[in-house]
Coordinates of all heavy atoms in Angstrom, one line a residue:
M1 N 110.5 144.3 110.0 CA 109.3 143.7 110.5 C 109.0 144.3 111.9 O 109.7 144.8 112.6 CB 109.7 142.2 110.8 CG 109.8 141.2 109.6 SD 108.2 141.0 108.9 CE 108.7 140.1 107.5
S2 N 107.6 144.3 112.1 CA 107.0 144.8 113.3 C 106.5 143.7 114.1 O 105.2 143.4 114.2 CB 105.8 145.6 112.9 OG 106.0 147.0 113.4
G3 N 107.4 143.0 114.8 CA 107.0 142.0 115.8 C 106.8 140.6 115.0 O 107.1 140.5 114.0
T4 N 106.5 139.6 115.8 CA 106.4 138.4 115.4 C 105.2 137.7 116.1 O 104.9 137.9 117.2 CB 107.7 137.4 115.9 OG1 108.9 138.0 115.3 CG2 107.5 135.9 115.5
V5 N 104.4 136.9 115.4 CA 103.3 136.1 115.9 C 103.5 134.6 115.6 O 104.2 134.3 114.5 CB 101.9 136.6 115.4 CG1 101.6 138.0 115.7 CG2 101.8 136.5 113.9
S6 N 102.9 133.9 116.3 CA 102.9 132.4 116.0 C 101.7 131.8 115.5 O 100.5 132.2 115.9 CB 103.3 131.6 117.3 OG 104.6 132.0 117.7
F7 N 101.8 131.0 114.7 CA 100.5 130.1 114.0 C 100.6 128.7 114.6 O 101.4 127.9 114.1 CB 100.5 130.0 112.6 CG 99.3 129.5 111.9 CD1 98.1 130.1 111.9 CD2 99.3 128.3 111.3 CE1 97.0 129.6 111.3 CE2 98.3 127.6 110.8 CZ 97.1 128.2 110.8
L8 N 99.8 128.4 115.5 CA 99.9 126.9 116.2 C 98.9 126.1 115.3 O 97.7 126.3 115.0 CB 99.4 127.1 117.6 CG 100.1 128.0 118.5 CD1 99.4 128.3 119.8 CD2 101.6 127.6 118.6
T9 N 99.5 125.0 115.0 CA 98.8 124.1 114.0 C 99.4 122.6 114.4 O 100.1 122.4 115.2 CB 99.2 124.5 112.6 OG1 98.5 123.6 111.7 CG2 100.7 124.3 112.2
Q10 N 98.8 121.7 113.6 CA 99.2 120.3 113.6 C 98.9 119.6 112.3 O 97.9 120.0 111.6 CB 98.8 119.5 114.8 CG 97.3 119.1 114.8 CD 97.0 118.4 116.1 OE1 95.7 118.3 116.4 NE2 97.7 117.7 116.9
P11 N 99.7 118.7 111.9 CA 99.3 118.1 110.6 C 98.0 117.5 110.5 O 97.4 117.0 111.6 CB 100.4 116.9 110.5 CG 101.4 117.3 111.4 CD 100.9 118.1 112.6
G12 N 97.3 117.6 109.3 CA 96.0 117.0 109.2 C 94.9 118.0 109.7 O 93.7 117.6 109.4
C13 N 95.2 119.1 110.1 CA 94.1 120.1 110.6 C 93.5 120.9 109.5 O 94.3 121.7 108.9 CB 94.7 120.9 111.7 SG 93.7 122.3 112.2
H14 N 92.3 120.6 109.0 CA 91.8 121.2 107.9 C 91.6 122.6 108.2 O 91.6 123.5 107.2 CB 90.6 120.5 107.3 CG 89.3 120.7 108.2 ND1 89.1 120.0 109.4 CD2 88.3 121.5 108.0 CE1 88.0 120.5 109.9 NE2 87.5 121.3 109.1
L15 N 91.2 123.0 109.4 CA 91.0 124.5 109.7 C 92.2 125.2 109.6 O 92.2 126.5 109.2 CB 90.4 124.6 111.1 CG 88.8 124.2 111.3 CD1 88.5 124.3 112.9 CD2 88.0 124.9 110.5
C16 N 93.3 124.6 109.8 CA 94.6 125.2 109.8 C 95.0 125.4 108.4 O 95.5 126.6 108.1 CB 95.7 124.4 110.5 SG 95.4 124.0 112.3
S17 N 94.8 124.4 107.6 CA 95.1 124.6 106.2 C 94.2 125.6 105.5 O 94.8 126.4 104.8 CB 94.8 123.3 105.5 OG 95.7 122.2 105.9
D18 N 93.0 125.8 105.9 CA 92.2 126.9 105.4 C 92.6 128.2 105.9 O 92.6 129.2 105.0 CB 90.7 126.7 105.9 CG 90.1 125.4 105.1 OD1 90.7 124.8 104.1 OD2 89.0 125.1 105.6
A19 N 93.0 128.4 107.2 CA 93.5 129.7 107.7 C 94.8 130.1 107.3 O 95.0 131.4 107.1 CB 93.3 129.6 109.2
L20 N 95.7 129.3 107.0 CA 97.2 129.6 107.0 C 97.4 130.7 105.8 O 98.1 131.6 106.0 CB 98.0 128.5 106.7 CG 99.5 128.7 106.7 CD1 100.0 129.6 108.0 CD2 100.2 127.4 106.6
P21 N 96.8 130.6 104.7 CA 97.0 131.5 103.6 C 96.5 132.9 103.9 O 97.4 133.9 103.6 CB 96.3 130.9 102.4 CG 96.1 129.5 102.5 CD 96.0 129.3 104.2
N22 N 95.5 133.1 104.6 CA 95.1 134.4 105.0 C 96.0 134.8 106.1 O 96.3 136.1 106.1 CB 93.7 134.4 105.6 CG 92.6 134.2 104.5 OD1 92.8 134.8 103.5 ND2 91.4 133.6 104.7
V23 N 96.4 134.1 107.0 CA 97.2 134.5 108.1 C 98.6 134.9 107.5 O 99.0 136.0 107.9 CB 97.5 133.4 109.2 CG1 98.5 133.8 110.3 CG2 96.1 133.0 109.8
R24 N 99.1 134.3 106.7 CA 100.3 134.6 106.0 C 100.2 135.9 105.2 O 101.1 136.8 105.4 CB 100.7 133.6 105.0 CG 101.5 132.4 105.5 CD 102.1 131.4 104.4 NE 102.7 130.3 104.9 CZ 102.6 129.1 104.4 NH1 101.8 128.9 103.2 NH2 103.1 128.1 105.0
A25 N 99.2 136.0 104.4 CA 98.9 137.2 103.7 C 98.7 138.6 104.6 O 99.4 139.5 104.3 CB 97.7 137.1 102.8
L26 N 98.0 138.4 105.6 CA 97.8 139.6 106.6 C 99.0 140.0 107.2 O 99.4 141.2 107.3 CB 96.7 139.2 107.5 CG 95.1 139.2 107.0 CD1 94.3 138.6 108.0 CD2 94.8 140.6 106.6
C27 N 99.7 138.9 107.8 CA 101.0 139.2 108.5 C 102.0 139.8 107.5 O 102.6 140.8 107.8 CB 101.7 137.8 109.1 SG 100.8 137.2 110.4
G28 N 102.2 139.3 106.2 CA 103.1 139.9 105.3 C 102.6 141.4 104.9 O 103.5 142.3 104.8
A29 N 101.3 141.6 104.9 CA 100.9 142.9 104.5 C 101.1 143.9 105.6 O 101.4 145.2 105.3 CB 99.4 143.0 104.1
L30 N 101.1 143.4 106.8 CA 101.3 144.4 107.9 C 102.7 144.4 108.5 O 103.1 145.0 109.5 CB 100.4 143.9 109.0 CG 98.9 144.1 108.8 CD1 98.0 143.5 109.9 CD2 98.5 145.5 108.7
G31 N 103.7 143.6 107.8 CA 105.1 143.5 108.1 C 105.3 142.9 109.5 O 106.2 143.1 110.2
I32 N 104.5 141.8 109.7 CA 104.7 141.0 111.0 C 105.2 139.7 110.7 O 104.7 139.1 109.6 CB 103.2 140.9 111.6 CG1 102.6 142.3 112.1 CG2 103.4 139.9 112.9 CD1 101.3 142.2 112.6
E33 N 106.2 139.3 111.2 CA 106.9 137.9 111.0 C 105.9 136.9 111.6 O 105.3 137.0 112.6 CB 108.2 138.0 111.6 CG 108.9 136.5 111.4 CD 110.3 136.3 112.0 OE1 110.7 137.4 112.8 OE2 110.9 135.4 112.0
L34 N 105.8 135.8 110.8 CA 104.9 134.7 111.1 C 105.6 133.4 111.3 O 106.6 133.1 110.5 CB 103.8 134.4 110.1 CG 102.8 133.2 110.2 CD1 102.0 133.6 111.6 CD2 102.0 132.9 109.2
V35 N 105.6 132.7 112.4 CA 106.3 131.5 112.7 C 105.2 130.5 112.9 O 104.3 130.5 113.7 CB 107.1 131.6 114.1 CG1 107.6 130.3 114.3 CG2 108.2 132.7 113.9
E36 N 105.3 129.4 112.1 CA 104.4 128.3 112.3 C 105.0 127.2 113.3 O 106.1 126.9 113.3 CB 104.3 127.5 110.9 CG 103.6 128.2 109.9 CD 103.6 127.6 108.5 OE1 103.2 126.5 108.6 OE2 104.0 128.1 107.7
V37 N 104.0 126.9 114.3 CA 104.5 126.0 115.3 C 103.6 124.8 115.4 O 102.3 124.8 115.5 CB 104.4 126.6 116.7 CG1 104.8 125.8 118.0 CG2 105.3 127.9 116.6
D38 N 104.1 123.6 115.3 CA 103.4 122.3 115.4 C 103.3 122.0 116.7 O 104.2 121.7 117.5 CB 104.2 121.2 114.6 CG 103.5 119.8 114.6 OD1 102.6 119.6 115.4 OD2 104.0 118.9 113.9
I39 N 101.9 122.0 117.3 CA 101.7 121.8 118.6 C 102.2 120.4 119.2 O 102.4 120.2 120.4 CB 100.2 122.0 119.1 CG1 99.3 120.9 118.4 CG2 99.8 123.4 118.8 CD1 98.0 120.9 119.0
N40 N 102.4 119.5 118.2 CA 102.9 118.1 118.6 C 104.3 118.2 119.1 O 104.8 117.2 119.6 CB 102.8 117.2 117.3 CG 101.3 116.9 117.1 OD1 100.4 116.8 117.9 ND2 101.0 116.8 115.7
S41 N 105.0 119.4 119.0 CA 106.4 119.5 119.5 C 106.4 119.7 120.9 O 107.6 119.6 121.6 CB 107.1 120.6 118.7 OG 106.5 121.9 119.2
S42 N 105.3 119.7 121.8 CA 105.4 120.0 123.0 C 104.1 119.4 123.7 O 103.1 119.8 123.2 CB 105.4 121.5 123.4 OG 105.0 121.8 124.6
D43 N 104.2 118.7 124.8 CA 103.1 118.1 125.4 C 102.3 119.3 126.1 O 101.1 119.2 126.1 CB 103.6 117.2 126.6 CG 104.1 116.0 126.1 OD1 103.7 115.6 124.9 OD2 104.9 115.3 126.9
E44 N 103.0 120.4 126.5 CA 102.2 121.5 127.0 C 101.3 122.2 125.9 O 100.2 122.6 126.2 CB 103.3 122.6 127.6 CG 102.5 123.7 128.3 CD 103.6 124.6 128.8 OE1 104.6 124.3 129.2 OE2 103.2 125.9 128.7
L45 N 101.9 122.3 124.8 CA 101.0 122.9 123.7 C 99.9 122.0 123.3 O 98.8 122.5 122.9 CB 102.0 123.1 122.5 CG 102.9 124.3 122.6 CD1 103.8 124.3 121.2 CD2 102.5 125.6 122.8
I46 N 100.1 120.8 123.3 CA 99.0 119.8 122.9 C 97.8 119.9 124.1 O 96.8 120.1 123.8 CB 99.5 118.3 123.0 CG1 100.3 118.2 121.7 CG2 98.3 117.5 122.9 CD1 101.0 116.8 121.6
R47 N 98.3 119.9 125.3 CA 97.3 120.0 126.4 C 96.5 121.5 126.3 O 95.3 121.4 126.5 CB 98.1 120.0 127.8 CG 98.2 118.7 128.4 CD 98.7 118.7 129.8 NE 99.8 119.4 130.1 CZ 101.2 119.0 129.8 NH1 101.3 117.8 129.5 NH2 102.1 119.8 130.1
E48 N 97.2 122.5 126.0 CA 96.6 123.8 126.0 C 95.7 124.0 124.7 O 94.8 124.6 124.8 CB 97.5 124.9 126.2 CG 96.8 126.4 126.3 CD 97.9 127.3 126.9 OE1 99.0 127.0 127.1 OE2 97.4 128.5 126.9
F49 N 96.3 123.6 123.6 CA 95.7 124.0 122.2 C 95.1 123.0 121.4 O 94.6 123.4 120.4 CB 96.8 124.8 121.5 CG 97.2 126.1 122.2 CD1 98.4 126.1 122.7 CD2 96.4 127.1 122.1 CE1 98.9 127.4 123.3 CE2 96.8 128.3 122.8 CZ 98.1 128.3 123.4
A50 N 95.2 121.7 121.8 CA 94.7 120.6 120.9 C 93.3 120.8 120.4 O 93.0 120.7 119.2 CB 94.7 119.3 121.6
L51 N 92.5 121.3 121.1 CA 91.0 121.6 120.7 C 90.7 122.9 120.3 O 89.6 123.3 120.0 CB 90.0 121.1 121.9 CG 90.1 119.7 122.4 CD1 89.2 119.5 123.7 CD2 89.8 118.7 121.3
R52 N 91.8 123.7 120.1 CA 91.5 125.2 119.8 C 92.2 125.5 118.6 O 92.0 126.6 118.1 CB 92.2 126.0 120.9 CG 91.5 125.9 122.2 CD 92.2 126.5 123.4 NE 92.3 127.9 123.2 CZ 93.0 128.7 124.0 NH1 93.7 128.2 125.0 NH2 93.0 130.0 123.8
I53 N 93.1 124.7 117.9 CA 93.7 125.1 116.8 C 92.9 125.3 115.6 O 91.9 124.7 115.4 CB 94.9 124.0 116.4 CG1 94.4 122.7 116.2 CG2 96.0 124.1 117.4 CD1 95.4 121.8 115.7
P54 N 93.2 126.0 114.5 CA 94.4 126.9 114.6 C 94.3 128.0 115.6 O 93.2 128.5 115.9 CB 94.5 127.4 113.1 CG 93.0 127.5 112.7 CD 92.4 126.3 113.4
V55 N 95.5 128.5 116.1 CA 95.6 129.5 117.0 C 96.8 130.4 116.6 O 97.7 130.1 116.2 CB 95.8 129.1 118.5 CG1 96.0 130.4 119.5 CG2 94.8 128.2 118.9
V56 N 96.4 131.9 116.6 CA 97.6 132.8 116.2 C 97.8 133.6 117.7 O 96.8 134.0 118.3 CB 97.0 133.8 115.3 CG1 98.1 134.9 115.1 CG2 96.6 133.3 113.9
T57 N 99.1 133.5 118.1 CA 99.4 134.2 119.2 C 100.6 135.1 119.0 O 101.3 135.1 118.2 CB 100.0 133.0 120.3 OG1 101.2 132.5 119.7 CG2 99.0 132.0 120.6
G58 N 100.5 136.1 120.0 CA 101.5 137.0 120.0 C 102.4 136.8 121.3 O 102.5 135.8 121.7
P59 N 103.2 137.9 121.7 CA 104.2 137.7 122.7 C 103.6 137.2 124.1 O 102.4 137.5 124.3 CB 104.7 139.1 123.0 CG 104.4 139.9 121.8 CD 103.1 139.2 121.3
G60 N 104.3 136.3 124.7 CA 103.7 135.7 126.0 C 102.5 134.9 125.9 O 101.8 134.6 126.8
G61 N 102.2 134.4 124.6 CA 101.1 133.4 124.3 C 99.8 134.1 124.3 O 98.7 133.5 124.3
L62 N 99.8 135.4 124.2 CA 98.5 136.2 124.0 C 97.9 135.7 122.7 O 98.3 135.8 121.5 CB 98.8 137.7 123.9 CG 97.6 138.6 123.5 CD1 96.6 138.6 124.6 CD2 98.1 140.0 123.1
V63 N 96.6 135.2 122.8 CA 95.8 134.7 121.9 C 95.3 135.8 121.0 O 94.4 136.6 121.5 CB 94.7 133.6 122.2 CG1 93.8 133.2 121.1 CG2 95.4 132.4 122.9
L64 N 95.5 135.9 119.8 CA 95.0 137.1 118.9 C 93.8 136.4 118.1 O 92.9 137.2 117.7 CB 96.0 137.4 118.0 CG 97.3 138.0 118.5 CD1 98.3 138.4 117.6 CD2 96.9 139.3 119.3
A65 N 93.8 135.2 117.8 CA 92.6 134.5 116.9 C 92.7 133.0 117.2 O 93.9 132.4 117.4 CB 92.7 134.9 115.5
E66 N 91.6 132.4 117.2 CA 91.7 130.9 117.1 C 90.4 130.3 116.6 O 89.4 131.0 116.3 CB 91.8 130.4 118.7 CG 90.5 130.7 119.6 CD 90.7 130.4 121.0 OE1 90.6 129.1 121.2 OE2 91.0 131.2 121.7
G67 N 90.5 129.0 116.2 CA 89.3 128.3 115.7 C 89.2 128.6 114.3 O 90.1 128.7 113.5
I68 N 87.9 129.0 113.9 CA 87.6 129.4 112.5 C 88.0 131.0 112.5 O 87.4 131.7 113.1 CB 86.1 129.3 112.2 CG1 85.7 127.9 112.3 CG2 85.9 129.9 110.9 CD1 84.3 127.5 112.1
I69 N 89.2 131.2 111.9 CA 89.8 132.5 111.9 C 89.2 133.3 110.7 O 89.5 133.1 109.5 CB 91.2 132.4 111.8 CG1 91.8 131.7 113.0 CG2 91.9 133.8 111.8 CD1 93.4 131.3 113.1
E70 N 88.5 134.3 111.1 CA 87.8 135.3 110.1 C 88.9 136.2 109.7 O 89.5 136.9 110.7 CB 86.6 135.8 110.6 CG 85.5 134.9 110.8 CD 84.2 135.6 111.4 OE1 83.9 136.7 111.0 OE2 83.5 134.9 112.2
R71 N 89.1 136.6 108.5 CA 90.0 137.5 108.0 C 89.9 138.9 108.6 O 90.8 139.5 109.1 CB 90.0 137.6 106.6 CG 91.1 138.5 105.8 CD 90.9 138.4 104.3 NE 92.0 139.3 103.7 CZ 93.2 138.8 103.4 NH1 93.6 137.5 103.6 NH2 94.0 139.5 102.9
R72 N 88.6 139.4 108.7 CA 88.3 140.7 109.2 C 88.8 140.8 110.8 O 89.4 141.7 111.2 CB 86.9 141.0 109.0 CG 86.4 142.3 109.6 CD 84.9 142.4 109.5 NE 84.1 141.4 110.1 CZ 83.8 141.2 111.3 NH1 84.3 142.0 112.2 NH2 83.1 140.2 111.8
V73 N 88.5 139.8 111.5 CA 88.7 139.8 113.0 C 90.2 139.6 113.1 O 90.7 140.4 114.0 CB 88.0 138.5 113.6 CG1 88.4 138.4 115.1 CG2 86.5 138.7 113.6
L74 N 90.8 138.8 112.4 CA 92.4 138.7 112.5 C 93.1 140.0 112.2 O 94.0 140.5 112.7 CB 92.9 137.5 111.7 CG 94.4 137.2 111.8 CD1 94.9 137.0 113.2 CD2 94.7 136.1 110.8
R75 N 92.6 140.7 111.0 CA 93.3 141.8 110.6 C 93.1 142.9 111.7 O 94.2 143.5 112.1 CB 92.5 142.5 109.4 CG 93.2 143.7 108.9 CD 92.6 144.3 107.7 NE 92.3 143.6 106.5 CZ 91.1 143.2 106.3 NH1 90.0 143.5 106.9 NH2 90.9 142.3 105.1
K76 N 92.0 143.0 112.5 CA 91.9 143.9 113.5 C 92.8 143.6 114.6 O 93.5 144.4 115.3 CB 90.3 143.9 113.8 CG 90.0 145.1 114.8 CD 88.5 144.8 115.3 CE 87.7 145.9 114.7 NZ 86.3 145.8 115.0
A77 N 92.9 142.3 115.0 CA 93.7 141.9 116.1 C 95.3 142.0 115.8 O 96.0 142.6 116.7 CB 93.5 140.5 116.3
L78 N 95.6 141.8 114.6 CA 97.0 142.0 114.2 C 97.4 143.6 114.1 O 98.5 144.0 114.4 CB 97.4 141.5 112.8 CG 97.2 139.9 112.7 CD1 97.5 139.4 111.3 CD2 98.5 139.3 113.6
K79 N 96.4 144.5 113.6 CA 96.7 145.9 113.7 C 96.9 146.3 115.1 O 97.7 147.1 115.3 CB 95.7 146.6 112.9 CG 95.7 146.5 111.4 CD 94.6 147.3 110.8 CE 94.8 147.3 109.2 NZ 93.7 148.1 108.6
R80 N 96.0 145.9 116.1 CA 96.3 146.2 117.5 C 97.4 145.7 118.0 O 98.2 146.4 118.7 CB 95.1 145.6 118.3 CG 93.8 146.5 118.4 CD 93.0 146.0 119.6 NE 92.8 144.5 119.5 CZ 91.7 143.9 118.9 NH1 90.8 144.6 118.3 NH2 91.6 142.6 119.0
Y81 N 97.9 144.5 117.7 CA 99.1 143.8 118.0 C 100.3 144.8 117.6 O 101.2 145.1 118.4 CB 99.2 142.5 117.6 CG 100.7 141.9 117.7 CD1 101.3 141.7 118.8 CD2 101.3 141.8 116.5 CE1 102.7 141.1 118.9 CE2 102.7 141.3 116.5 CZ 103.3 141.1 117.7 OH 104.5 140.5 117.7
R82 N 100.2 145.0 116.4 CA 101.3 145.9 115.7 C 101.7 147.1 116.4 O 102.7 147.7 116.7 CB 101.1 146.1 114.2 CG 102.2 146.7 113.5 CD 102.0 146.7 112.0 NE 101.0 147.7 111.8 CZ 100.5 148.1 110.7 NH1 101.1 147.6 109.4 NH2 99.6 149.0 110.5
R83 N 100.5 147.8 116.8 CA 100.7 149.1 117.5 C 101.3 148.9 118.8 O 102.1 149.9 119.3 CB 99.3 149.7 117.7 CG 98.7 150.3 116.4 CD 97.5 151.3 116.8 NE 96.4 150.5 117.3 CZ 95.3 150.0 116.7 NH1 95.3 150.0 115.3 NH2 94.4 149.4 117.2
T84 N 101.2 147.8 119.5 CA 101.8 147.7 120.7 C 103.4 147.3 120.7 O 103.9 147.4 121.7 CB 101.1 146.4 121.5 OG1 101.3 145.2 120.9 CG2 99.7 146.8 121.7
V85 N 103.7 146.8 119.5 CA 105.2 146.4 119.5 C 106.0 147.5 118.8 O 107.2 147.3 118.6 CB 105.4 145.1 118.7 CG1 104.8 144.1 119.5 CG2 104.8 145.2 117.3
K86 N 105.5 148.6 118.3 CA 106.2 149.6 117.6 C 107.0 150.4 118.8 O 106.7 150.6 119.8 CB 105.3 150.6 116.9 CG 105.0 149.8 115.6 CD 104.3 150.9 114.7 CE 104.1 150.4 113.3 NZ 103.5 151.2 112.4

């Protein structure tokens, strides 16, 4: 695997449900590990991301994509990310 990214979500988020299959597929195709994180697990995550989910983050919380996640935009961000972790 070439790095890890997080998919920030919460139960009942329809944008998250719509985005997750594409995020999984792109990460898999690029050899990037994907970790799903329920923002309800942390008050800090809720404060920072409640109105922004779904959010895809890299190391140090770097936001790679958020909100309505377009496949083309995410692919470009993940390829940039992958180059930085090699």
Side-chain angles (χ1 to χ4, degrees):
M1 288 283 175
S2 234
T4 302
V5 298
S6 297
F7 182 78
L8 303 169
T9 184
Q10 73 182 158
C13 170
H14 73 281
L15 290 176
C16 301
S17 298
D18 291 347
L20 186 55
N22 281 329
V23 175
R24 278 187 184 140
L26 286 169
C27 285
L30 295 171
I32 298 171
E33 182 180 355
L34 179 65
V35 176
E36 292 178 50
V37 178
D38 181 347
I39 64 167
N40 293 322
S41 66
S42 160
D43 289 341
E44 183 179 332
L45 289 175
I46 291 171
R47 275 192 301 278
E48 187 169 353
F49 296 108
L51 298 177
R52 297 170 62 187
I53 58 171
V55 178
V56 179
T57 63
L62 173 68
V63 175
L64 302 173
E66 66 182 280
I68 297 173
I69 298 176
E70 295 181 32
R71 187 176 178 89
R72 177 185 54 80
V73 173
L74 179 59
R75 182 185 309 115
K76 191 182 252 185
L78 289 173
K79 284 183 175 181
R80 271 194 317 267
Y81 162 74
R82 188 177 65 174
R83 283 192 301 269
T84 66
V85 296
K86 282 189 172 182

